[in-house]
Structures are given as structure tokens and as C-alpha cells.
């Protein structure tokens, strides 16, 4: 099986190996707008975090928006997304209401998980976004199972599973990719190689330069993309999604990118050279797309400004909604353990008869 | 016609697969080979390789893919060939399956069944004899069952498949072909998934056990009655998580004496929790210490027969404990 | 000058590394970053990246490579960043480390130390708050320790590194910076690895606990004494496997009343085994049921504060149990 | 890094890329003799098994001797071997006394593990053979740790770690290879691809044809060898061992081979077509080497006959030794749990004081 590595992104909007159509102007604008909103949302979240308005740790993807937006923007509601800890924004791209997302940050009763998970670990059942655990790479394996079921059910839904460079060292990563290959499953593995796993540089993670190469071990295509080029990312993801939908099996997409901030909201990231950070900031995916749209006469500062303002308002409303939402009741700690209720069992230990029954 | 424990498993699987298209099987060697113990023999012929999947050698993905499939409506039955090899699936079982419903506040669930072959006494040695039920009985969110009779082997398996929670179904390899029972006809034979069962009534002491050890318990009770006239109530736990406190407490209220028999080694075996429940909630009923008949605290069951026999709880050791209890 | 729990860990590591060239550290983010909680800060500067290894993100190989290295004479100290992520190392720990000596009849051994960061009450949510001590306390062949004081944090770590068995060293994240103690000088300060400790003498009831809950136990004992005049003996288990039966049994022989306090959820927590030991071996001493103060049986500690507080055992819940016990 | 796949074995004795010397006649004869003895030993073991002279399951490598012998024959005592369930014969190749090996089959007190493990799971501390668990691939990870220690200790000992095609699906396999690569460890992974993992054919294990390809994911050489050609196997292993010893890092060797018999002594192996088995039997590595030696005038039927007879006697003596060796005492079940004794603790539960101390 042919394995592509490092397809150039430059030609992405004007040609496609498989003969796909050109990307419409509307789509280009939508890609930009979505990235911008993701950025605004996460900067908002970080600001709130700094003011200690919500608790727990947040993992920002600022700088990596192109990879997420390019991969997830065209997904259908029925398609599943398997996010990692850093993919809070996949929820937004897929269409989760902001109220729900900010309630997640605040751990309120209005959050999809009713206050159980850490702030960034957001899932959403109605749109088939797996509620993430923290176990690195575990989402890939569950995603693989969804893809298996899609295949069994003979529908054309697909799965997009996100992970980071660090995740590639874990056995789980390997088992998911290998299994997907053996069964030709409709799944796309998007590995956001941001060069660091917490404080560990990629050279201590793997001996290979391009993670996409690892797909060769499984016998399906792997491709390295400039993960800060949303158009390239979109194009490559589009092809992979088409392949998956039509029974062509999995693809591994390595998006080379960079996180601007620390691993999480408590990490000053002193292990990275300031020059490295600065160099990557000049490759800001949003600024790059802005230049690109400007060249194509698709961009005006007014349009951007208007978006910043109107989306800013939406964010404020969502924050307001979250902050006004009630805390969960302490006793809800006992809910959703099983399909049956355990409150009686736990609360009144003298009432011995379990409250559940079949 | 009496059927064996393993036949009961096989027909249970077949009936559920016929009843519900969403039920499928996945595991190592379960297809063409019909499983290491032939529990799935003939199923690939009837249901094809799409529904009887010979998976790659990777317990992690066997279970975790089943979680994903279950999330969107399938009813997977995964097989772990030997519980000794369940460790690669530890994350999938304890961190994913057990916690998915909880972490999504009930919006995402994974009704899957994991069939786990366990148990010793067959000369399998360190890595083909383990029990390891504690790891999972300790995890809220999982239902853990361990059928000890042929009727339960079938009825609890079918119930597990229909249950909307992840179920670990522990089947004891030594029961596969050693016990036979007549079973009710028809495929609507579903066993309760939540209660322990009194397998033998008695009034002088309660003996709690599960799995293969039920055989040992019944023989011991019989023997002690012949020797002393005392009657021993034998309780088969059936469900290891969440535990049915009632049946145990009611029995101890009647007998005032409790002995626990487990194949697992002593420390933190299931018996520890049974003992703790009774010492907490039925202390006043007790007329004697709570005794445990268990394997010694060594890492696993050695292969050589003298050591295996030293290791395994048996009728002799159980009777000795019962005598001690009755004489107390 | 009083030092904190985490400083004690850091200096313990440094001293052992200076003392013995075979000691090395391996784990995620332990090098340049000095660890997720800064337990290893400064060590890579002193000992270099050969002895402070920033490993790939794979707990399985972190532990299993340490087993191999230990086999041929090294003294590895592996770090598990959060016990919530120990599952990938489940096979390495329970099937390899715990059983290597046994399966080779003592000819191959692996003296390694696995430092495991655990515990809740810091808002970490489901996957940064777990306890999971049961899985390992249930495995003969492993020594499992859980220091609750600064002196033990240092002394038991050093003892673990020198011990010829695999040791799991559970360090509670909530103790890192909340307790401080003066410590004896010098690097020969080694703590006992086999016995529980009486942290507070008493005659009216015994309260057994470990880890962060020792703080809660001591406060509760104090409060109950103020309220009722009753004195509570507080036992810090220190070692979770193999358990020191003596210290517990001796105390119960004196007090006749036992309460167990654990952060873990109730079912099959360490408390179950403590209870079972006492119900078995000190029944005659008991004047009251054995009570357990434990978290409810839910999959893990939720992040939102109201639920976290509902979950966590605390002084109030412990005092209520002690009152009940004393009034029995 | 260059990755070699499918180097031809034909040229193996006459040339070597790295300029190694030709293989001596003595070595060629030794390779043959060792394979023959391995075969005789396992046929003996299977015969005893059939007569139920020992208990438990045996996993024969009959048909695969070339892969094991070629890889392990030149190892030093200090080099470690990490065997899988099917590599009982590695013990013989490395020099373990037959008495100890047959005692292992019989689980007697004279066995290296004093009767604890299944018959085929033989290790031997004095020669650095890891006592295997049954967990597939686990030996690779422990072996990796030994290699790490060797590197730290700055000696030139290496590790040869065996596994099968089935093992490649497990996360453990991946973690071991990746870690070895990152640290350039002195370890050789010999994957005996015998096309089946119990009843599961290789196509259900992986989508790639050559397992050696998987080394690309880790950035070190992978090579496919005719695993029934002991000379080719020896040559390739020799090169890999030299690389490892001199700090060149790991190598993955895929030995394509076949097991003649069932997965274990209780497996009739009905899942395989009889023609497949017959075809592979014609590729018997021992017969092939016999032809090769004959061509080179290094073989006489008398030499072979003499070996069969004298080694047959050795085997009989070893069987006799094992059968006359005492059973372990039941109570030894309590030994070797810790570095301290637990007999007191377990036997007399009234004596509460633990018998151990520091
Ligand atoms: C199995 C496991 N081990 C350790 C951790 C702790 N941890 C959380 S994120 C992280 C680094 C992840 O790196 P990468 O996969 O590159 O993703 P990134 O954070 O760069 O997006 C680690 C070590 C974890 N969550 N799960
Ligand atoms: C983790 C684990 N899962 C399952 C098994 C059961 N088992 C033993 S050998 C085997 C097949 C191994 O196949 P392969 O790696 O190709 O080696 P081969 O037997 O062909 O030499 C299986 C599934 C095991 N020992 N360990
Ligand atoms: Mg990263
Ligand atoms: Mg094989």
C-alpha cells in the first residue's frame, strides 16, 4: 500500500490527487472564522482561569487551531469525534452549544457531565463526541470500536480520533492503529505533533522524525501536514474522510504544530526555549490564513472586528450562563454509577435491600 | 438431557445472537478454532466472521473496541482467554468501561459483556490458573458475576448481554466439563443478576463462596452434617459486584456463624469484603469469629502437583474450619 | 528546619543516588521539568540524564524496563505520575515484578521501587484523584507502602530502594506541601518497612488508617476526646502489603473497638482486609461492630466541589462513626 | 536510517555487507548439530508428553530450529536471552544442562524454577535466560530493561528477545521497540513469524506482509530472513549482534518460519490446511542444512547417526535424572515470595509476629 509522506500543502487548494473539487470561498472563510472563534474562546477560558473563576486544570490548544478545525469542520453529527485532553475546541467545531461548554469549565449542573470531569475534558453525546478520560490515547481505542460498529452497521459514519505526539509511545496507540488496519475501519487518526509532551521533547518520545511514518507499520497511509496551514489540513482530512466513508480504511494524519502556552494552565513551560516559542508564534495559523484570505480578497478587518465583537458577546453570555448555573447537589455524586440507582444502597446502609432490580 | 457448563455458555451465546443482531463476539481464537476451551465452537459457522471476530492478540483493543461499539448500540461479548492475560485490558475495563457512564453523567454507556476464563486446580501453573476477581469487584460501575451452576452459566450470561452496564462474567475453567444439569427449554431463560443464592439450607453456620468452590462447599457441608449433625447453610455469591448484602446478612442472622471459602489467596480476596460487611452490619448476630478458608498469600498457583494441592482450598480444609467454627 | 513531605522525597532520592551508583530514576517529566509536582527537581542537574531519565509516555515500559534493569543489579526508581495512569503498567507490576522471584524460585529478582502519586481532595476530578491501592495490596510478592508522615516519606523511600523486593511507594499528593517535620540529619536514616505505627495512644477505640487520612484520624481523635473524654488509639498502617497484623490486633485487644478510615471507596478497600483480620483473629476482644469510614462506592472522585466533599471521608464523618462506636 | 528488508540469504556465507569474515566449516557443522539436537530434544519431549509422563502443556518449536539456533548460538554467557513460550530450546542453545531442562518439564525440585512454571517456560539465571511469564511479549520489555542496564553499566553485553507474529499486535511489543530505539539499546528482537498465532492467521494480526517493516516506525533496521535457512539467520543475527555490541542500537529480525505441530501439545491444529503443513515440511531447516553441508563435503550420514545415538543417550539420562528427581515438597509453595520467609506467617496464624525483618 502506498504511503504518502509530507505532501506539500502549497498546492492544496488548487489540486487534489483524487480529483476532489476546489475549496469554495465560503469554506475558506468558514475555516478562518472557526479558528478565530476557537482562539477567542480559549483565550477567554484562560482569562477566566487566571482570575480563578473556575477550578481545575485547563489544556489550551492555542496555536493548534488549524489542525483541529481543518480535520473536524466538515463532520456530520453522526460522525464521532474522539478528543484528547487538548481538544476541548473540537466540541465547538462540531457544534456543541457554548452554554454547555462553559458549564463544563465551571463544572455546573448544566455541563454535559454534570460536574464530574476536569474542565477541558468535554464530550457531548448528541453530537457523538466521546467524553474523554485522561488516559492518554484511550480515546483512540474507543473510537476504533465505534468505527468497527459503523462498519458492522453498514452506515457511512466515520470517526476522527485526536491524539498527540506523546501518545504514540503508548501501547494503546499501537493497538488501535493495528486493529483499525486489520479491519479496514472508517477512522482517521489525527496526531497533533506539537513537539512536546508536557516537558518531554519529541526526540525522547520516538527516533523517527515524522510520526506519519508509523502508519507503514500498519499498512495504511500516513501523511505529514503543516498543521498550521488550515487549508492543507482541510484538504488532507477531506481526502482521508472520503476514503474512510467509502470503505477505504484508516489514515494517519500527522499535523506538525505547536502549543503556544504551557501544557496546562499551571505549567510555565520553562523547558522550552523562548526563541522556539517565538518562532512558532510567527507561524500563527490564524494570521497565516488572514494573509491568505487577504490575497484572495476574502478578508476585511471589519469582518474580523465584527466577528470578534459578536462572538465576544456570545462568549460573555455563555460565561454568564455558566456562572449562574447551579452547582451540582452533593448527593449527585451517587448518580450514574449503574443503569440502576444506588442512592438507597449507599445512603441508608440499614435498609439492606438494594434499590435496584432488573 | 443434562448439559454441561460450557454447553450452557455456548447455547446462551447462540440464542442471544439469534435474538439480537447487535450481539457479536470478539476474542482470540474464538472463531475457526472455537475458543481455547471450545466455548464458541460452531458459532462462526452459524454467524460468520463478522459476528465472531478472531481478533489480533491484544486484550486491550478487544475490550476497548467493544466499549466503543457498545456506545453506539452494539452488544459485544468479548472473551479473555485466560484472566491471567487480562492486564493489557486493565485500563479499558477499569478506567473506560467502569467509568464511562459516570464520567458522561449517564449520556454515554457501554453495555458490553466480557467473558473471562479463570481459576485453578487443573495444573495450569502460575499463568493459567489465576482468579483476579478482586481487581474488578473493587470497581464501582462494573457488574461482576461468577456463575457456579450450569443454569447460571446460561441464564446469567444471557442476562449480562441484555444488561445496560458493563458486565464481567467470570467462568471457571474447572466447571466447564465437570458439572451437568437439566435446563429449562426455550431462550427466554434469564437469571437474576443481582442476588446471591442459598444453595443449601442450614441453621448452624453459614458458608459463603463462589465459582468452583461451591462444589467444595456443598461437599463440605454434607460431610460436616454427617459427622456432627450440624447443618450448614451454603451461599453462592453469584454476583461479586455489587455484592448482595441481604442474603448474607439474613443467613448470618439465622446461623450466627460465618465461614468464607474462596479459591483466591487470602488477602483482599472477595472474602475480606464479605467478612467486613458482616462484622459491620451483623456483629450482634455473631457467636464466633468469621473464618476464611483461602489460598495462602503467594503470587499464583504453582504448576507442580504437591504445591498446587497445598495451595488449593479443599473439602478437608473447609471441614476443619467448619468444625472449629461449630465448636467455638 | 522542618521539611515538607515532598522535600523529604527529593532528598531521600538524592541521598540514595549519591550513596549508590546503581540507583537511577525513570518516569514522565521527571528530568528537566523536575516532575509534575517537582519531587525530582534539581536531580537531573546533579545526576545527569543517564540517571534521571525522561521516559517516553508509556507507563508499561517505565516499569517493565525497570524490572529488567533491576534483574541485573540496578536499583531503579520508577515514577508513575498519577496512579490513575498506572493501568498500562498493570502487567509489569502484577504479572512480572510481583511474580518474577516466585516463578524463578528465587534465582531472578527485581529490587525496584515504583513511586506512585495518588489521592484526592484537591479538585483533580475522576482521573487525577484515584487511590487504587487495593489492586497491589492484593498481590503477594509486592511490598506496598504508603507513608503518612514526613519522616516516613524519606525513611521508607530510602528503605524501599535498598529492599530486595519490588516496592510500590504510594505518596499522597495532598501531603506534599501540607505537612512539615524536623528530620534527623544524615543519610543513614532508614525507616522500618514492615510495621504499622501507633501515632496516638488510646484505650477506648482503635482507629486504623493510612496516607492523608492520618491527618483526619488525628484530628478526629482529638475532637472526640475533647467531646467525650474517650481516648482513641490511632494506627497508621504505613505498609499495605504484607499487612502488619500484630500492631492492629494488639491495639484491638486493648481497646475492644475498631474503626477503619480510608479515602478509598468502601468495597474491597484496604479496610476490608483489616476488618476481616480482626473479625477472624480478635473476635473475642471486640465489644462492637467494626465500622468503616470510607468513600461511597462510585467509580472515582468527581471534580465539582460539592460532590468531591460528599465523597471524601472527613473529620465530621469520622467523629460520627467514633461516637457510634463508643456508644455501642 | 536505512532499513533493509528481505536481504537474500543465498549470499550469506560468502559475503557480508559489513565485511565480516566467512563462516567457518566448524561453525556450519555446529549450526547443524545444534538444530538436530534441538529437534531430537523436542521430539523426545513430545513423546514423553504423549505418554503422559509429565504434566502441563508443551509448546514445540519443531520446524523453527534454524531461527533460534542461528540467533542464539554465538551468545556469551553474560548476554541475556528473553524467550517466549515457544523458545524452550534457547536454553539448550545457550548451554543449560539437559538435566535442568528435563527437570523443568517434569516440574521437579531439580528444575530451575522448582516446579512453579509450565513445562516449556524455562529460564536459567546463571546464563541470563529470563524465566518467562506466559504474558505474550512481556519478555521483550524486561529484556529492554536489561539492555538499558547494560548500556548504563557500559559493558558490551547484549540481549536477544524472542517473540512471535501474534505478539506484534500487543501494546507491550510496541513499547519495547520504541523505547529501545529512543535509547539505542543493545537488543535484537527476533520475531519468529510462523504465520499463525494459535489459530489466528497472520492476516488477522496485521495488514502488512513483512513484520520487519514495522521497525520503520521506530527508526531502526528491520530485516526479513528465511527463518528456515540457518546460515542466513546466523549471518543476519551476527551482524545485528555486532551492531548492538558496538552501540549501534536495536535490530528487528523477522524470521519467516513455520511450526510443524499444533500450538501446544493439546492442539490438533485443525485450522491449518494439511497442504500448508506439508509444503512447509519440505522446507525443513535441518534437511536443508544437511543438503548444504553435503554439497560442501561437511556431512556424512555416519556423523549424523553417531550424534543421534550419543545425544539420544544424553537425553535418556536427562529423562532418567528428571524422573528420579524428587517432587517438590508441598510447603515449598510458600517459598520465594519475598526476600524474607513467609512460612511462619502463613502456617501458624496464631503466631502473629511476622517472621521477616529487615
Ligand atoms: C497514560 C497516561 N500517562 C500520563 C498522563 C499524564 N499526561 C497528561 S497529558 C501528557 C502529555 C501528552 O502529550 P501529547 O500526547 O504530546 O499531547 P499534548 O499534551 O502535547 O497535546 C501526560 C504525560 C496521562 N494523562 N495518561
Ligand atoms: C497477553 C496474552 N494473551 C493471550 C495469551 C494466550 N496465548 C498464548 S500463545 C498465543 C499465540 C502466540 O502467537 P505468536 O506470538 O505468533 O507465537 P507462536 O505461538 O506462534 O510461537 C496466545 C494467544 C497469552 N499467553 N498472553
Ligand atoms: Mg504533544
Ligand atoms: Mg506465531
Amino acid at each position: 500500500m502506498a504511503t504518502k509522506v509530507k505532501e506539500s500543502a502549497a498546492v492544496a487548494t488548487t489540486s487534489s490527487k483524487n480529483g476532489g473539487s476546489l475549496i469554495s470561498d465560503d469554506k475558506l472563510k468558514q475555516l478562518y472564522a472557526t479558528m478565530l472563534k476557537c482562539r477567542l474562546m480559549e483565550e477567554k477560558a484562560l482569562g477566566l482561569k487566571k482570575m480563578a473563576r473556575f477550578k481545575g486544570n485547563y489544556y489550551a490548544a492555542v496555536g493548534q487551531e488549524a489542525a483541529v478545525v481543518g480535520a473536524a469542520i466538515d463532520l456530520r453529527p453522526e460522525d464521532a469525534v474522539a478528543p484528547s485532553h487538548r481538544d476541548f475546541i473540537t466540541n465547538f467545531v462540531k457544534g456543541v452549544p457554548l452554554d454547555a461548554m462553559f458549564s463544563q469549565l465551571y463544572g455546573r449542573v448544566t455541563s454535559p457531565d454534570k460536574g464530574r470531569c476536569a474542565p477541558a475534558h468535554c464530550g457531548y453525546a448528541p453530537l457523538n463526541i466521546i467524553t474523554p478520560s485522561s488516559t492518554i490515547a484511550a480515546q483512540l481505542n474507543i473510537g476504533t470500536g465505534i468505527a468497527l460498529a459503523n462498519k458492522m452497521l453498514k452506515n457511512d459514519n466515520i470517526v476522527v480520533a485526536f491524539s498527540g505526539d506523546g501518545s504514540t509511545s503508548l501501547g494503546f496507540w499501537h493497538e488501535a492503529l493495528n486493529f483499525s488496519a486489520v479491519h479496514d475501519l472508517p477512522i482517521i487518526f489525527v496526531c497533533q505533533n506539537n513537539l512536546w509532551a508536557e516537558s518531554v521533547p519529541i526526540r525522547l518520545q520516538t527516533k523517527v522524525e515524522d510520526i506519519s511514518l508509523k502508519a507503514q507499520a500498519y499498512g495504511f497511509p500516513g501523511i505529514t501536514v503543516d498543521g498550521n496551514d488550515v487549508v492543507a489540513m482541510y484538504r488532507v482530512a477531506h481526502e482521508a474522510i472520503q476514503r474512510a466513508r467509502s470503505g477505504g480504511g484508516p489514515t494517519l494524519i500527522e499535523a506538525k504544530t505547536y502549543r503556544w502556552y504551557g501544557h496546562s494552565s499551571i505549567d510555565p513551560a520553562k523547558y522550552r526555549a523562548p526563541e522556539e516559542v517565538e518562532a512558532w508564534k510567527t507561524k500563527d495559523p490564524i494570521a497565516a490564513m488572514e494573509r491568505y484570505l487577504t490575497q484572495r480578497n476574502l478578508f476585511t478587518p471589519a469582518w474580523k472586528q465584527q466577528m470578534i465583537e459578536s462572538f465576544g458577546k456570545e462568549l460573555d453570555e455563555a460565561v454568564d450562563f455558566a456562572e449562574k448555573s447551579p452547582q451540582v447537589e452533593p448527593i449527585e455524586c451517587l448518580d450514574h454509577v449503574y443503569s440502576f440507582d444506588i442512592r438507597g444502597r449507599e445512603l441508608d446502609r440499614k435498609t439492606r435491600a438494594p434499590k435496584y432490580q432488573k | 438431557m443434562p448439559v454441561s457448563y460450557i454447553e450452557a455458555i455456548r447455547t446462551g451465546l447462540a440464542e442471544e445472537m439469534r435474538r439480537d443482531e447487535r450481539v457479536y463476539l470478539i476474542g482470540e481464537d474464538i472463531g475457526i478454532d472455537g475458543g481455547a476451551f471450545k466455548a464458541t465452537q460452531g458459532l462462526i459457522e452459524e454467524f460468520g466472521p463478522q459476528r465472531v471476530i478472531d481478533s489480533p492478540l491484544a486484550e486491550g483493543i478487544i475490550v476497548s473496541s467493544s466499549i466503543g461499539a457498545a456506545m453506539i448500540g452494539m452488544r459485544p461479548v468479548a472473551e479473555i482467554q485466560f484472566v491471567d492475560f487480562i492486564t493489557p485490558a486493565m485500563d479499558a475495563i477499569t478506567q473506560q468501561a467502569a467509568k464511562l457512564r459516570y464520567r458522561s453523567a449517564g449520556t454515554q454507556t457501554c453495555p458490553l459483556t466480557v467473558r473471562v476464563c479463570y481459576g485453578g486446580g487443573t495444573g495450569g501453573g502460575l499463568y493459567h490458573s489465576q482468579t483476579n476477581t478482586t481487581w474488578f469487584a473493587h470497581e464501582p460501575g462494573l457488574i461482576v458475576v461468577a456463575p457456579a451452576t450450569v443454569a447460571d452459566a446460561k441464564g446469567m450470561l444471557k442476562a449480562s448481554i441484555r444488561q445496560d452496564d458493563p458486565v464481567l462474567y467470570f467462568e471457571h475453567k474447572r466447571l466447564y466439563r465437570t458439572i451437568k444439569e437439566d435446563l429449562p427449554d426455550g431462550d427466554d431463560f434469564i437469571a437474576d443478576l443481582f442476588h446471591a443464592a442459598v444453595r443449601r439450607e442450614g441453621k448452624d453456620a453459614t458458608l459463603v463462596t463462589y465459582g468452583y468452590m461451591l462444589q467444595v462447599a456443598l461437599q463440605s457441608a454434607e460431610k460436616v452434617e454427617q459427622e456432627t449433625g450440624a447443618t450448614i447453610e451454603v451461599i453462592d455469591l453469584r454476583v461479586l459486584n455489587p455484592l448482595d448484602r441481604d442474603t448474607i446478612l439474613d443467613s448470618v442472622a439465622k446461623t450466627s456463624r460465618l465461614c468464607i471459602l474462596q479459591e483466591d489467596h487470602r488477602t483482599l480476596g472477595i472474602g475480606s469484603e464479605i467478612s467486613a460487611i458482616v462484622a459491620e452490619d451483623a456483629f450482634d448476630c455473631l457467636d464466633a469469629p468469621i473464618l476464611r478458608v483461602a489460598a495462602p498469600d503467594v503470587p499464583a498457583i504453582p504448576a507442580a502437583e504437591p504445591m498446587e494441592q497445598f495451595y488449593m482450598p479443599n473439602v478437608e480444609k473447609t471441614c476443619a474450619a467448619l468444625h472449629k467454627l461449630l465448636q467455638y
Side-chain angles (χ1 to χ4, degrees), chain A, chain B:
Chain A
M1 179 171 290
T3 302
K4 303 173 288 182
V5 177
K6 283 197 164 166
E7 169 173 307
S8 156
V11 294
T13 53
T14 52
S15 76
S16 159
K17 286 203 180 138
N18 295 352
S21 59
L22 299 182
I23 302 176
S24 73
D25 288 351
D26 278 357
K27 183 62 68 183
L28 292 172
K29 290 177 71 175
Q30 190 197 352
L31 286 167
Y32 174 81
T34 310
M35 285 198 297
L36 181 67
K37 287 176 183 171
C38 287
R39 173 76 53 90
L40 292 169
M41 179 169 39
E42 286 204 298
E43 293 287 8
K44 183 87 196 178
L46 290 171
L48 294 165
K49 180 76 254 191
K50 218 165 250 163
M51 294 183 294
R53 295 269 282 279
F54 65 88
K55 294 205 170 135
N57 225 345
Y58 186 79
Y59 307 82
V62 171
Q64 304 187 187
E65 295 88 351
V68 173
V69 171
I73 199 162
D74 273 355
L75 296 180
R76 307 171 183 167
E78 303 78 30
D79 294 330
V81 165
S84 85
H85 56 288
R86 200 171 301 291
D87 304 307
F88 183 73
I89 58 173
T90 53
N91 285 271
F92 176 70
V93 180
K94 206 149 193 266
V96 177
L98 288 177
D99 286 354
M101 292 183 69
F102 277 82
S103 296
Q104 174 71 31
L105 296 180
Y106 280 79
R108 296 299 162 94
V109 75
T110 41
S111 67
D113 67 357
K114 296 208 160 61
R116 284 170 167 71
C117 300
H121 288 64
C122 189
Y124 197 69
L127 291 171
N128 291 295
I129 302 171
I130 303 172
T131 301
S133 68
S134 297
T135 319
I136 290 293
Q139 71 278 6
L140 306 183
N141 302 264
I142 296 179
T144 297
I146 297 180
L148 177 69
N150 284 338
K151 192 183 167 194
M152 287 175 163
L153 295 167
K154 299 196 169 58
N155 62 39
D156 66 350
N157 301 333
I158 60 136
V159 180
V160 175
F162 290 92
S163 65
D165 44 294
S167 78
T168 64
S169 299
L170 264 172
F172 301 144
W173 196 87
H174 174 75
E175 294 190 4
L177 272 75
N178 184 57
F179 187 92
S180 299
V182 169
H183 288 278
D184 283 318
L185 298 184
I187 183 164
I188 293 101
F189 297 101
V190 178
C191 184
Q192 297 182 66
N193 180 356
N194 61 10
L195 307 180
W196 294 88
E198 221 159 319
S199 72
V200 179
I202 181 90
R203 75 180 159 77
L204 294 180
Q205 233 23 279
T206 176
K207 196 90 183 168
V208 301
E209 213 195 298
D210 295 321
I211 284 171
S212 62
L213 195 67
K214 293 180 188 280
Q216 298 211 7
Y218 311 108
F220 59 74
I223 179 163
T224 295
V225 193
D226 177 349
N228 281 13
D229 178 342
V230 73
V231 177
M233 195 64 207
Y234 177 77
R235 164 59 62 209
V236 168
H238 189 81
E239 271 187 42
I241 290 169
Q242 276 189 322
R243 277 191 71 238
R245 269 202 218 294
S246 55
T251 305
L252 170 63
I253 300 175
E254 177 194 18
K256 299 242 202 235
T257 184
Y258 201 77
R259 60 169 158 79
W260 284 13
Y261 304 135
H263 171 66
S264 74
S265 43
I266 53 165
D267 173 23
K270 292 201 183 132
Y271 43 81
R272 304 192 304 191
E275 303 78 46
E276 181 180 294
V277 180
E278 287 318 308
W280 274 95
K281 283 195 175 170
T282 65
K283 298 188 220 169
D284 180 0
I286 296 176
M289 190 61 180
E290 206 166 300
R291 289 192 297 276
Y292 181 80
L293 291 181
T294 307
Q295 276 172 22
R296 296 197 148 218
N297 286 326
L298 294 171
F299 182 85
T300 65
W303 175 55
K304 180 181 181 181
Q305 194 50 39
Q306 189 263 321
M307 264 194 304
I308 291 175
E309 275 163 32
S310 73
F311 191 67
K313 243 177 247 152
E314 285 182 58
L315 289 176
D316 289 340
E317 280 163 26
V319 171
D320 199 51
F321 176 87
E323 294 195 342
K324 288 191 178 132
S325 290
Q327 294 278 2
V328 288
E329 292 296 321
I331 198 178
E332 291 180 55
C333 174
L334 298 179
D335 296 339
H336 308 301
V337 177
Y338 292 103
S339 61
F340 44 86
D341 188 29
I342 63 158
R343 285 198 187 191
R345 188 179 165 90
E346 287 293 329
L347 288 182
D348 184 5
R349 299 185 60 81
K350 261 188 243 138
T351 305
R352 298 202 237 108
K355 277 285 183 298
Y356 55 86
Q357 76 256 9
K358 181 60 204 166
Chain B
M1 222 194 37
V3 301
S4 68
Y5 188 89
I6 198 162
E7 281 163 37
I9 292 171
R10 192 183 308 124
T11 54
L13 290 171
E15 286 171 13
E16 290 304 298
M17 292 180 82
R18 276 175 218 135
R19 187 187 59 79
D20 185 348
E21 278 210 329
R22 301 168 307 163
V23 178
Y24 73 92
L25 316 183
I26 184 165
E28 293 156 9
D29 306 294
I30 64 166
I32 309 165
D33 206 33
F37 291 91
K38 307 293 170 252
T40 53
Q41 197 159 48
L43 299 183
I44 198 171
E45 284 79 6
E46 179 173 353
F47 301 102
Q50 316 297 320
R51 291 181 71 196
V52 184
I53 303 176
D54 268 324
S55 78
L57 207 174
E59 286 76 8
I61 194 76
I62 289 173
V63 176
S64 55
S65 72
S66 300
I67 294 169
M71 261 183 82
I72 67 161
M74 304 298 290
R75 292 277 166 169
V77 183
E79 179 182 305
I80 301 290
Q81 204 168 70
F82 291 91
V83 73
D84 315 63
F85 310 132
I86 204 167
T87 47
M90 193 71 184
D91 191 81
I93 297 172
T94 68
Q95 302 300 322
Q96 311 305 325
K99 298 183 173 62
L100 178 63
R101 179 187 288 272
Y102 197 66
R103 77 177 185 237
S104 68
T107 62
Q108 294 172 342
T109 62
C110 57
L112 78 146
T113 303
V114 184
R115 287 180 42 237
V116 187
C117 171
Y118 80 111
T122 62
L126 303 179
Y127 293 94
H128 289 78
S129 311
Q130 295 177 25
T131 292
N132 298 338
T133 42
T134 285
W135 301 341
F136 309 107
H138 175 58
E139 295 305 313
L142 297 178
I143 294 179
V144 181
V145 302
T149 68
V150 176
D152 270 353
K154 182 167 177 183
M156 293 180 88
L157 179 56
K158 288 159 65 80
S160 300
I161 293 171
R162 301 186 196 185
Q163 179 69 23
D164 283 336
D165 301 277
V167 182
L168 263 63
Y169 172 100
F170 276 81
E171 46 192 68
H172 199 295
K173 65 172 78 67
R174 205 172 167 187
L175 289 174
Y176 280 153
R177 293 178 168 83
T178 55
I179 57 171
K180 293 201 170 196
E181 288 172 28
D182 283 310
L183 290 182
D185 286 341
D187 63 355
D188 277 338
F189 166 59
I190 296 296
D192 165 280
L193 269 192
F194 297 100
H195 293 90
V198 176
R199 297 295 184 196
R200 187 182 195 278
E201 306 242 344
K203 55 180 188 14
D204 299 306
T206 300
L207 180 58
V208 173
T209 193
Y210 68 100
Y212 179 81
M213 284 294 137
L214 175 60
Q215 304 296 317
V216 174
L218 292 170
Q219 288 163 36
S220 305
E222 190 63 38
K223 189 150 178 270
V224 167
E225 183 169 357
Q226 277 166 16
E227 288 165 357
T228 68
T231 58
I232 312 293
E233 182 141 304
V234 175
I235 293 182
D236 170 10
L237 283 175
R238 300 179 71 251
V239 187
L240 307 184
N241 188 23
L243 283 164
D244 169 13
R245 291 193 282 260
D246 297 23
T247 305
I248 299 159
L249 293 169
D250 288 346
S251 177
V252 174
K254 185 170 66 170
T255 65
S256 303
R257 286 176 161 76
L258 174 62
C259 178
I260 301 146
L261 168 62
Q262 70 188 25
E263 181 178 316
D264 203 359
H265 55 266
R266 178 178 311 262
T267 294
L268 282 169
I270 304 296
S272 314
E273 182 62 30
I274 305 297
S275 177
I277 287 171
V278 172
E280 193 157 32
D281 291 335
F283 178 76
D284 287 336
C285 308
L286 285 174
D287 284 345
I290 302 172
L291 301 186
R292 287 180 289 170
V293 180
D297 279 329
V298 303
I301 311 187
E305 209 175 319
M307 292 193 290
E308 187 182 60
Q309 277 181 8
F310 181 91
Y311 181 99
M312 295 298 288
N314 56 23
V315 172
E316 196 192 327
K317 295 173 195 172
T318 309
C319 288
L322 289 173
H323 283 303
K324 194 172 149 195
L325 195 62
L326 292 167
Q327 281 156 21
Y328 196 88

